[in-house]
Amino acid sequence: MTKEKDIDLVVIGSGPGGYAAAFRASDLGQKVLLIDKDDELGGVCLNRGCIPSKALLHIAKVIDETKHLSKIGVSFSKPQIDLDAVRNHKNKIVSQLNSGIKQLAKVRKVETMQGLASFLSANQILVEGENNTTKIIFKKCIIAAGSSSSLIPGLPKNHPSVLTSKTALDLVDIPESLLVIGGGVIGVELGQVYASLGSAVSVVEFLPGLIPGADKDIVKPLQRKLKKQFSSIMLSSKVISVNANTDKTLTVEIENEKGVETKTYNKVLVSVGRKPNTGLLKVENAEITVNEQGYIDVDEYQRTSQKNIFAIGDIVGNPMLAHKATHEGKVAAEVASGHPAVMDPRAIPSVVYTDPEVAWTGLTELKAKKDKIPYEKGEFPWAASGKAQILNASQGKTKILFDPETKQVLGAGIVGPSAGDLICEAALAIEMGSDAEDIGLTVHPHPTLGETFAAAAEVYLGTMTDLYIPSK
Ligand code: FAD
Ligand code: NAI
């Protein structure tokens, strides 16, 4: 029998967008129901994305650091990988954070429900749980149903050797050889994890460079490192077929300008982008507009084409990042609760958590050139940073793009350890409308990597003393 339930605000999806929206709306006095089809709260980011991947990347980085130490007089024996222990460690971090979210929902009296939600109309959804079905009658709704891995045509169906990021993070085994299809963020992050744990990793990328959204110069040090860690990096190449063999290996045909190569791998990881989870929601029953790619259309208040229904996070489009989802979630919760709020960030940072990390925010040189946006830049090579030398990170670099007229920061790109932390200063500078002097004249502590941000501004201003730049 279908039960019925009335609620002020229902949130579909408990990822970083959904739970932030639910909690903010509850803090603003709404009676909130948070629904997820998964047993655990936290969405992709916590359960099969950001957190487990970064837990494994940390291990990969430490393994690599021990190799460097052995070159400078401190030797360790070859690491012994106890895969069960590594998997348990990663799972423990996830489950601790799962309980944290559950606890935060409880103290706020946000009700949670497990089940698959689909729209019946613009104020009703059906939630199908394992043993029961509930009809929810709502005043307002926030859709935060996220995204899932895209696949390429012609892959063997449900084959245990064909991995997505979700199954790759399950860490069932360390395959002797792994082909990563797609050299974007997931490809390089998980490729580096598996390479550090002992797989011979190859990457095939359709475009001429890895992480095509970032400026080439800040990807270069990572690409150089991956060249040493991976068996091969095949650029401007595409997979034309993947066939399963009786021994569970996969034979893959890869095409590039020279012709077609056939290779066999123990496993293949498909990381060619993500698609919105719009399909299962039956949004057409609520007359919610979606675009050609299936993303839900929203305005800057996160409102869909139905005034009482909002949408946030991956399901509304790029960038598909947890922090973007969270900000949008808060905006939706505030607007839905009658408060003034708008999603209008000047910059959303992107970080690739490999070793070295690659981070950028605001304007990139790629975009500036494509859209003919005038800019000037200040760059500081980490070879001149004491802290970078200490950390074996002299390949790193910090660059800032400035508006040639106002000298305000338009964008920044950083490569090196902790680039993801360092980029926060750039994001703040862009939000605050800071110019080159604001940054160059801010006293930064020494010796830190943070200094390189001020140094890039000083290079631009011509006041840098740690480098010799002859005056023009
Ligand atoms: P999601 O986190 O996708 O959550 C959506 C939730 O909705 C899921 O729990 C799902 O079960 C539920 N759901 C879907 N449909 C229904 C339905 N019909 N009924 C009920 N529930 C439903 N981003 C970063 O910023 N930093 C990172 O380091 C990072 N690393 C990543 C690593 C990997 C391997 C992957 C795959 C992604 C990573 N991301 C990272 C991206 C990040 O995970 C997403 O941008 C983020 O999770 C999106 O949040 P969301 O709230 O929109 O939805
Ligand atoms: P992506 O868009 O970053 O990269 C996909 C890559 O695959 C692209 O370089 C593309 O050119 C290539 N590609 C597409 N089709 C191909 C084909 N047939 N053959 C070979 N290459 C092909 O997507 P990815 O890595 O799957 O990640 C999805 C999203 O998840 C990211 O865009 C990001 O928003 C999010 N994410 C964020 C992380 C972070 O913030 N650190 C980490 C992981 C994921």
Side-chain angles (χ1 to χ4, degrees):
M1 204 183 75
T2 305
K3 288 185 285 179
E4 273 194 19
K5 192 175 175 63
D6 283 288
I7 196 93
D8 289 347
L9 177 74
V10 62
V11 180
I12 306 173
S14 70
Y19 80 75
F23 293 177
R24 184 75 187 118
S26 165
D27 291 349
L28 293 171
Q30 304 270 333
K31 196 175 151 208
V32 183
L33 172 67
L34 176 61
I35 300 169
D36 204 295
K37 63 181 173 55
D38 288 353
D39 292 334
E40 296 292 347
L41 303 178
V44 169
C45 180
L46 171 52
N47 295 296
R48 46 191 179 275
C50 326
I51 300 299
S53 60
K54 268 80 255 182
L56 298 177
L57 277 159
H58 172 69
I59 295 172
K61 185 173 187 324
V62 175
I63 292 175
D64 195 64
E65 280 184 352
T66 61
K67 284 185 191 151
H68 169 65
L69 279 180
S70 64
K71 286 186 201 149
I72 57 171
V74 183
S75 298
F76 297 85
S77 50
K78 195 170 177 276
Q80 301 290 316
I81 314 277
D82 175 346
L83 199 59
D84 292 336
V86 171
R87 193 185 312 108
N88 288 343
H89 163 74
K90 169 202 62 121
N91 292 346
K92 200 169 146 200
I93 294 172
V94 171
S95 66
Q96 268 167 352
L97 292 166
N98 285 141
S99 336
I101 299 177
K102 213 181 276 172
Q103 190 57 27
L104 289 173
K106 197 171 161 200
V107 292
R108 286 187 161 88
K109 301 196 169 52
V110 167
E111 194 184 337
T112 57
M113 185 183 279
Q114 189 273 329
L116 180 75
S118 59
F119 283 92
L120 297 169
S121 70
N123 64 355
Q124 289 184 354
I125 54 169
L126 197 68
V127 183
E128 293 166 276
E130 253 169 50
N131 306 313
N132 48 36
T133 304
T134 314
K135 189 200 273 184
I136 311 284
I137 300 151
F138 61 84
K139 292 197 182 82
K140 298 211 168 122
C141 171
I142 299 176
I143 305 171
S147 67
S148 38
S149 300
S150 296
L151 295 175
I152 54 168
L155 288 170
K157 279 222 163 81
N158 300 323
H159 194 280
S161 303
V162 177
L163 306 177
T164 60
S165 55
K166 179 176 184 280
T167 46
L169 286 166
D170 287 342
L171 220 60
V172 171
D173 61 7
I174 301 302
E176 206 173 300
S177 61
L178 173 73
L179 176 69
V180 176
I181 308 179
V185 193
I186 294 181
V188 295
E189 285 189 356
L190 295 186
Q192 195 169 54
V193 165
Y194 273 87
S196 303
L197 295 177
S199 291
V201 175
S202 303
V203 180
V204 53
E205 165 58 47
F206 198 59
L207 294 171
L210 298 176
I211 319 174
D215 282 341
K216 256 197 180 136
D217 58 334
I218 58 162
V219 177
K220 209 168 154 191
L222 170 64
Q223 197 157 322
R224 216 181 284 138
K225 174 131 194 202
L226 292 179
K227 237 179 165 170
K228 289 185 202 149
Q229 290 183 310
F230 289 179
S231 299
S232 68
I233 299 177
M234 296 168 267
L235 300 173
S236 305
S237 303
K238 70 174 183 197
V239 169
I240 50 175
S241 72
V242 180
N243 287 305
N245 303 315
T246 46
D247 61 353
K248 288 195 188 154
T249 60
L250 298 162
T251 297
V252 184
E253 282 185 305
I254 300 163
E255 185 180 52
N256 61 23
E257 56 179 19
K258 289 185 202 138
V260 176
E261 277 185 274
T262 305
K263 293 183 180 174
T264 297
Y265 299 92
N266 292 93
K267 287 201 172 171
V268 162
L269 164 64
V270 188
S271 50
V272 294
R274 295 180 65 78
K275 56 177 192 317
N277 288 334
T278 330
L280 301 170
L281 283 168
K282 300 190 185 155
V283 288
E284 61 284 359
N285 291 343
E287 291 178 43
I288 294 166
T289 316
V290 297
N291 71 15
E292 277 170 12
Q293 289 90 43
Y295 294 105
I296 296 176
D297 287 328
V298 288
D299 62 13
E300 66 269 46
Y301 306 106
Q302 304 301 138
R303 292 180 304 197
T304 67
S305 50
Q306 286 291 350
K307 279 215 170 70
N308 62 326
I309 303 178
F310 299 73
I312 60 163
D314 282 10
I315 202 156
V316 303
N318 285 313
M320 292 202 242
L321 297 171
H323 38 287
K324 187 212 72 158
T326 303
H327 274 261
E328 289 180 344
K330 288 186 177 169
V331 168
E334 287 168 12
V335 177
S337 310
H339 287 257
V342 63
M343 183 67 188
D344 185 25
R346 288 189 176 178
I348 298 175
S350 291
V351 181
V352 186
Y353 295 88
T354 40
D355 178 24
E357 290 184 356
V358 180
W360 65 100
T361 192
L363 187 68
T364 59
E365 289 193 77
L366 268 177
K367 181 160 169 55
K369 283 176 186 149
K370 185 169 153 267
D371 297 348
K372 301 197 169 50
I373 300 169
Y375 70 94
E376 290 172 346
K377 71 177 164 182
E379 281 187 348
F380 185 75
W382 286 17
S385 152
K387 182 66 187 244
Q389 295 284 338
I390 293 163
L391 298 176
N392 183 35
S394 53
Q395 305 293 323
K397 160 170 165 170
T398 300
K399 77 170 171 189
I400 311 179
L401 309 188
F402 296 99
D403 182 316
E405 275 181 28
T406 64
K407 314 295 179 203
Q408 284 178 319
V409 180
L410 297 175
I414 306 178
V415 54
S418 304
D421 294 300
L422 300 173
I423 205 71
C424 302
E425 184 172 350
L428 184 64
I430 295 170
E431 283 294 342
M432 302 301 288
S434 308
D435 64 20
E437 281 198 342
D438 293 327
I439 295 162
L441 294 178
T442 298
V443 180
H444 285 66
H446 176 76
T448 60
L449 294 173
E451 283 176 299
T452 68
F453 196 68
E458 289 191 311
V459 168
Y460 177 66
L461 292 165
T463 56
M464 163 51 55
T465 48
D466 280 7
L467 290 173
Y468 178 64
I469 304 166
S471 41
K472 288 170 201 154

